Amino acid sequence: MAPTSSRTRHPGHVVTAIVICRDGAKRLPKTLDALALQVRRVDRVVAVDLGSSDRSVAVATERLGAAHVAKVDAGAGIGTAIAAGLELVSRRPDRRRHDDAPVEWLWLLHDDSAPEPDALDELLLRVVHSPSVWLAGPKVLDWSGAVLVQAGLAIDAAGHIETGIDRREPDQGQRDDVDEVLAVGVAGSLIRRDVWDALGGMDPQLADYGAEVDLGWRVNASGGRVVVVSRAVLRHAGEECVGDRPGGPALRAMAIERRNGMRVVLANTAGWLVPLLLVRYLLVGVLHSLALVVLSRRPREAAAELRAVGVVLATPGAIVAARRSRAVAREVGYGDLRRLFPPSGRWMSNVMAARAHSGTAPDAPLARRRVAVESGPVSEEVESLADEISAVGEFLRRPAALLVIVMGLLAVIADRHLLSGTVHGGRLLPVPAGASDLWSSYFNAWHPSNVGSTAPTSPSIALVALLATILLGKAWLAVDIIVLGAVPLAALSAYTSLRLLTTAVRIRIWVSVVYALLPAVTGAISSGRLDVIVAAIVLPRVVRSIAIAWQRDSVAPLQGRVLRAGLWLAVAAAFAPLLWALVALVCGAVLGAERSSAADAMPDRLRATAGVLVIPLIVLMPWTWHVVAHPSLLFSGSGLPEFYGSHSPPSGILLALLHAGGPGQPPFWVGIPIVGALVFGLQRDSRVAVARIGAAVFVLGLAIAIIETRGASVTTGFPTTRHWPGLALLVAGAGALVTAVVAAVGARPALRDRSFGWRQPAVVAVVGLAVVATGTLVVGWVSGGVDKPLRGGDAAVLPLYVQAELALPTSSRALVLGGDAHLVHFALVRTPHGPLLGSGDAAPSGRMSDRANARLADAVQDLVAGRAGAGAELVPFGIDYLVAPQSTARRIASQLGRASTLTVIPVPSATVWHSSLATGELTVLSGAAATVASEGSVPQTAPVQVLNAGSGSSTARVPSATTSRLLVLAEPADSRWRATLAGQSLRRATAYGWAQAFVLPPRAGTVHVSFDSSGRHWWLIAELVGLVGVLLVGAGAAPHGHRRGAP
Amino acid sequence: MRRDAPILAGLVGVAVLLSFFTGSTAARRVTKPAGTAPVVARTLVCPVVNGLPRHTASTATVSDVGPALPTPPHGAGTVTSTVLAGAKSVTSTVRVRPWAAVHSRGLQSEAVAFSVNGTLAASLAADEVIETTAGRYRGLAGGPCSAPATDWWFAGGNGKLGFTDRLILANAASTDAEVAVTLWTPSGPDAAPRLAAIRVPARSRASIGILAVAPDIATVAMHVHADSGAITAAVVDRRSTGLQSDGGDLVPPTLPPSRHLVINGFPAGPGTRGLVVTNPGSADATVSVKVVTPSGEFTPSSLQQFVVGAGKTATADVTKALSNHAGAVILSSDHPVIGAGEAIVVPGGRRLRPDLEWLAATKPITTPTAAAVGHEPDGGRCYLVLSAPDGAGEVSVTTPSGRKTTISVPAGHAVTADITSTVKSGSGPWSFVVSAVGSAPVYAVRELEFDGAHGTMITAEPMTPLPQPIPLPAVRQDPRLAAR
């Protein structure tokens, strides 16, 4: 027995327990015993019987006395029963003193609900200390006390009531942190008598289902709070007794559930939502019914669903009356109670759960999450299957998953023209056959690009190769995923990263969608700009990881956070080195601005920033040094040379509206609401620092975009080309959207707190424009599809015949011509399929490469001018074929025809000339020809011996000779070329003034030519060592676990 | 309200404002700009160095006319001559000091190619003269030796009986050439299958009888197009009536289809003067005629306009219009046409045989032109027929030996100048250079005339421009061409 003193605790509060009985004679005695054993005595106990057919009335009368037992009809609902109970105790408690007026509480219990001895005490303890709590409920366990049944109730927009508890979830205290809820179950709920009276108790229209949720909602809307007191425990056998309770036919019960659930929502939700919900209920009801009929073959359930929807739609008067009656007491708007409702995506799983649970009595405690209908003993597999399905359903209910699925489906539609064949076009070169080709081009120091290049390959190729390796070597799939999946991936990246700023799902979704469809992103996709695409995907992770690295109160070690941030930045910088510079600038500016306000955190932040910035420099060597030595790479981007051009620089206004120019751009005005939200974000009083950082990033990105677009002729030979400002505008857009988030979070209460002025209409205008702009972005992207020049399908420009010739062992090449007789374009093609990703965009650099390019230009000029002997000038470059489209061929054919060594080969859709002079990758010049070549000239008539050669290395047999010979490689001279004859190194020489050559002795033997890539390999080893070192330093930290919250 | 938003607006405003005042407009820059290159290599092919038929002697003469140029170049180089005989071609070095000649060998019909390397290439001229002194094919023919090209137009040729016209295709290159020939006749295009794809082997010559491809068709126009390689083409026109010769000449290549043609060089004297006009297009062409004579330019009342049907060849008689005067005919058409002139010089005596000369539409002299040969093999006289339809013109005639004469041509007039005394130079070929002095266009034709025992022998040749520095197009490397 509890101490006498505790039984009289909280003297100012009078508790009247009302026990509702219905055929509960089995457990009613235990319930009454539990009441008697309460640590804090119940002041008054009454029982109300709902037409029981067993000994429930007798037991209650025996224990409480006939004066304390009321009877109502079996069909009456709980509300009626409670009212009847209150009739028995209609006399108010005595008021001893005016200022000591006791607070009367009603404690509602079922006949099978046994509170723990301290349940009432705990409930009262809570409500006494929290006067705003008008309704409190206990933690409900099953009768055994081991399984958690209920800890608060919520309802989704579709009208499904949910507890948030898994089926047969054991109570291990995991729900003890649940506090404020929308509603609590009837059993064990403690409600203020005056509140009950003021609200009119439970709605009789909802007597058979949903009344407690409606009551809780009304309490919240009236200004009170509804809480779950987890220390107050009640055991309830209600679920186990489902089968014993007469609840009518299961289908009728289901229809009642659906009807009442919808009524609860319609009666209490925001007024402007009602028509939308009605339409939704109709559409979903019809679709659900169809699914029940077609997929599940449950026509009667479908009929029940339709009946429920029909009843709701057919009785608008009831809804109106319910809303009118609730409006009197409503003090708090629907928007302010949003946090008490389940996330929007839950409704589908609730539908599925409701279907599985059809047959439940309408007023039984509800556990809608993952309820299986058991028809008898079932195997473990069935039980675990339910868990697995529930895990999948759990995953699919997550907004991030839905976002990716929806955006992914839209991306499939938008990319519909590109799904056949590998994507290429714009600056994106076609992808090689497999991951091994990408790895090869990354590891090699020499590339068969143009006249031959020794420029280092960007580490971005290694990352693409890594992804391709993971995808079982399918390089095309890796590029397709990056390019075609850029929008959903960017949206997912932004959504998950925004969790650091806000948990408001709708805001995060809106920002993520807008971010993924920024003009910079869609323009990058259409232009084949792999660097900007990857930057768009990775940038949110970079920002998030740096913010986490700067957190002061994170439980994760600093090294681990810095490592993650550094690696994310390294991934971004591998594709877009400019991003590293922008991040460094922003970090420097933020640290400088906060040096006084966050002085105590500054040492850690400085260390973190230094680590984040240094890690990419280490892991990206030797590319890092190459960028330092060629700073133009910061702006030039990756892939084929820049083609974005205009005669005059783009206007600053368009750039300020994030309009990057080029293909794949939405209307310029879609940037107006983003910039508008940026301005409003700066007006907020909360998260001022975040807003300012976002605005600063916007200004920085805009400044970079303006600066880099001022210069023209960024691509040699193309006077109108300019740097595309997409990357800078991507950063600017990200900054603007961060500030927009600050503007959006808590905007409504903030506006409500201010007096009506210019802000409210301006915000409405911006929001409206934002909705229209977002719709325009999505619809435009999906309907228009990915714009050219990105395309799918075959990328080869050479006719099949020429491709076959280039595949021969002599490795000859083709020259592609374009333009007209006044301005001729040309490109050297070395492989049958043309330049490929990784090797094709390594621009030649160096004195000999420049000289080779100049000589090639001379040769083209002489050819098109019809100069005599021009045909021989193709021999040093190994050019065997000239290819020109018909339009070009018509203009230059007469001049090319003068070259006596060229023969026309008719092929469809192009004109091909074949050179009659023998040439190839590796040739042998003898006698006078060797002498002429050594002097820097091209021998006109002497034949050359062509050897079989590969790309980068060759092995061939040479006969003996009596005259001097020169082994000539059709590559620019470089000290790393090696040649041996029978194992003996050959002396290096230069042919034609630029080509690599070796002096060949007169003897016969096998000659081996190769390019020494050891220097590159040592650098890569150093890079690997650096990466391992960085990982080891960072891996010394524990696995990450960071707190949520804004930095 | 905090100051953040105004500061932001200010910063953005400044950036936007600055953007309007900064930035470079696109400047033209290409990988390699256009330019010119000197001519340091050249091949001139004389396609008709015939020893056939009997009583025929041909000479291909190459001459360095550099000293006659306004700015004499320091010509140096090597010249070789190759008799194009396929695998049996023979190349020999030719010493041009300042001229050299290759003669026909017996009863051979050959083509000779002169190849020159060095700066000499810019000042070398080559002509061929074919003289048949007796027999059925008596006549004097001549023309310039031309560089290989991919397209040749001829508005002259005859497949009728009594005409032994031949189309000669000479390929001086080391690779075979693929040639297609298109014919137009008075009744329309003639698609002869054997002319659709003619393979001319390397260093060889092909000869096609017009009678074989256009039998019994008078007035055949031809377009020779090399699909692969480049060739030198010529048409030999020889006529006879029974066993009596009616003269012969090489039909010079004419200009490609154009709406305005000037056919200069009609000689003075009695005889028939005619036009051959071909419309290769798909719409009928209405051709207007003007005549330029020593007495002025006028539209002949007898031949103001005539229509040439689409794809057809038409002839017109301008004898009356020219009235035995030397001069030029100007054709203006609403659709592009090609044209040539035919002049049959009829001697005074009954026993004397006529000769003919063919004239082509040419461009006016704008750069120095040269003729390697200024006299018929047996002597004779050398005339220049000049026309200046668009304004008074003036030309200078200079010889490598330094002699010079200036000839003025009144506006709208034609002038025949006897330059024999100017160009005569001992035993040489009498090479000379004609240069325009004024700015008005002047058309010039060199005429060789010899009064033989059987009548006047005459041939005309348009003055051939010496090669100018080669215009080099701008080129730029575009790696995007390598990827679709």
Side-chain angles (χ1 to χ4, degrees), chain A residues 678 681-682 686-696 735 738-739 742, chain B residues 2:
Chain A
L678 165 68
L682 288 173
S686 63
R687 299 185 181 178
V688 173
V690 174
R692 285 176 174 169
I693 292 174
V738 163
T739 310
V742 173
Chain B
R2 292 203 308 276

Side-chain angles (χ1 to χ4, degrees), chain A residues 13-96:
Chain A
H13 297 264
V14 176
V15 178
T16 303
I18 303 177
V19 182
I20 303 164
C21 308
R22 181 158 69 187
D23 292 326
K26 179 180 174 184
R27 290 193 171 87
L28 181 57
K30 287 195 169 57
T31 299
L32 295 175
D33 288 341
L35 280 177
L37 289 174
Q38 288 297 303
V39 168
R40 197 293 191 179
R41 187 188 64 202
V42 179
D43 297 290
R44 292 177 294 194
V45 182
V46 297
V48 180
D49 182 74
L50 283 161
S52 299
S53 58
D54 62 1
R55 295 189 66 251
S56 296
V57 175
V59 171
T61 304
E62 192 177 307
R63 296 286 296 266
L64 304 174
H68 294 93
V69 177
K71 298 177 194 174
V72 295
D73 295 334
I78 285 184
T80 306
I82 295 172
L86 288 174
E87 291 286 325
L88 297 179
V89 291
S90 60
R91 182 174 60 85
R92 300 286 180 172
D94 293 335
R95 291 179 181 232
R96 293 203 176 93

Side-chain angles (χ1 to χ4, degrees), chain B residues 203-344:
Chain B
R203 297 187 180 187
S204 298
R205 187 186 100 139
S207 175
I208 302 167
I210 304 298
L211 179 67
V213 297
D216 209 30
I217 297 178
T219 319
V220 177
M222 287 168 277
H223 174 217
V224 179
H225 173 70
D227 293 320
S228 171
I231 47 97
T232 301
V235 174
V236 181
D237 178 23
R238 289 202 177 96
R239 308 173 182 194
S240 62
T241 303
L243 295 177
Q244 299 293 325
S245 72
D246 289 330
D249 198 6
L250 295 180
V251 179
T254 189
L255 291 177
S258 176
R259 288 190 167 91
H260 182 82
L261 299 172
V262 176
I263 302 170
N264 181 49
F266 286 97
T272 310
R273 308 290 184 260
L275 291 176
V276 176
V277 181
T278 300
N279 177 10
S282 56
D284 290 354
T286 301
V287 181
S288 304
V289 179
K290 277 191 180 174
V291 170
V292 180
T293 65
S295 50
E297 181 178 336
F298 59 92
T299 301
S301 56
S302 59
L303 186 67
Q304 294 180 2
Q305 264 186 0
F306 61 98
V307 175
V308 183
K312 295 181 179 177
T313 298
T315 57
D317 191 334
V318 292
T319 308
K320 198 173 177 183
L322 287 169
S323 299
N324 295 342
H325 293 301
V329 173
I330 302 172
L331 302 177
S332 300
S333 171
D334 55 352
H335 292 282
V337 295
I338 65 172
E342 179 190 43
I344 298 175

Side-chain angles (χ1 to χ4, degrees), chain A residues 632-643:
Chain A
S632 62
L633 289 172
L634 289 174
F635 299 98
S636 60
S638 64
L640 285 172
E642 182 60 74
F643 64 91

Side-chain angles (χ1 to χ4, degrees), chain A residues 424 450 641 643 647 649 652-653 678-679 682-685 688 692 698-699 702 706 710-713 717-720 722 758 791 794-797 816 818 821-827 829 835 853 856-858 860-861 864-865 867-868 894 897 900 903-904 916, chain B residues 1-2 4-6 8 11-12 15-16 18-35 37-42 148-151 173-176 178 227-230 470-484:
Chain A
H424 61 94
N450 207 322
F643 64 91
H647 284 282
I653 294 178
L678 165 68
V679 173
L682 288 173
Q683 297 297 307
R684 295 297 304 276
D685 295 323
V688 173
R692 285 176 174 169
F698 170 77
V699 173
L702 174 63
I706 289 176
R710 298 303 99 181
S713 299
F718 291 85
T720 63
R722 297 177 188 274
W758 63 270
R791 66 189 80 190
D794 186 22
V797 296
V816 180
H822 301 291
L823 178 57
V824 178
H825 302 205
F826 66 94
V829 180
N853 276 321
L856 182 59
D858 287 342
V860 173
Q861 204 171 44
V864 180
R867 294 187 73 186
S894 61
S900 59
T903 307
V904 171
S916 62
Chain B
M1 184 171 88
R2 292 203 308 276
D4 293 357
L8 171 75
L11 286 172
V12 173
V16 169
L18 283 175
S19 75
F20 286 106
F21 298 101
T22 55
S24 60
T25 53
R28 181 163 180 81
R29 212 175 92 196
V30 294
T31 306
K32 196 162 172 58
V39 177
V40 294
R42 200 153 155 240
T150 55
D151 289 87
S174 57
T175 54
D176 294 353
E178 297 282 342
D227 293 320
S228 171
I470 301 172
L472 301 175
V475 298
R476 67 184 173 194
Q477 198 165 48
D478 185 0
R480 292 176 295 159
L481 278 181
R484 194 181 295 276

Side-chain angles (χ1 to χ4, degrees), chain B residues 64-132:
Chain B
D64 179 11
V65 296
L69 292 173
T71 311
H74 182 68
T78 56
V79 182
T80 60
S81 75
T82 304
V83 177
L84 302 180
K88 297 178 183 176
S89 298
V90 177
T91 300
S92 53
T93 303
V94 175
R95 296 174 70 177
V96 179
R97 290 185 180 178
W99 60 272
V102 174
H103 303 280
S104 56
R105 301 179 296 177
L107 296 175
Q108 302 284 343
S109 186
E110 296 170 328
V112 175
F114 294 106
S115 297
V116 54
N117 288 294
T119 53
L120 185 61
S123 59
L124 212 66
D127 285 347
E128 59 181 344
V129 176
I130 307 120
E131 182 187 29
T132 305

Side-chain angles (χ1 to χ4, degrees), chain A residues 175-240:
Chain A
R175 303 287 177 168
D176 288 355
D177 59 343
V178 175
D179 185 56
E180 200 170 338
V181 294
L182 181 68
V184 292
V186 172
S189 61
L190 185 70
I191 184 170
R192 279 174 58 152
R193 173 72 187 269
D194 54 348
V195 172
W196 174 272
D197 292 337
L199 295 179
M202 291 190 174
D203 188 344
Q205 299 291 325
L206 303 170
D208 39 10
Y209 181 83
E212 68 274 77
V213 176
D214 174 71
L215 177 64
W217 197 333
R218 284 189 285 134
V219 169
N220 274 292
S222 303
R225 293 166 61 210
V226 180
V227 301
V228 170
V229 182
S230 57
R231 293 170 64 90
V233 178
L234 180 136
R235 288 179 294 119
H236 190 199
E239 186 167 42
E240 293 181 9

Side-chain angles (χ1 to χ4, degrees), chain B residues 438-479:
Chain B
S439 60
V442 177
Y443 298 81
V445 167
R446 179 223 65 188
E447 200 173 84
L448 299 180
E449 198 174 296
F450 176 72
D451 288 323
H454 303 279
T456 302
M457 298 173 78
I458 189 168
T459 184
E461 172 187 318
M463 295 303 297
T464 307
L466 287 170
Q468 299 302 302
I470 301 172
L472 301 175
V475 298
R476 67 184 173 194
Q477 198 165 48
D478 185 0

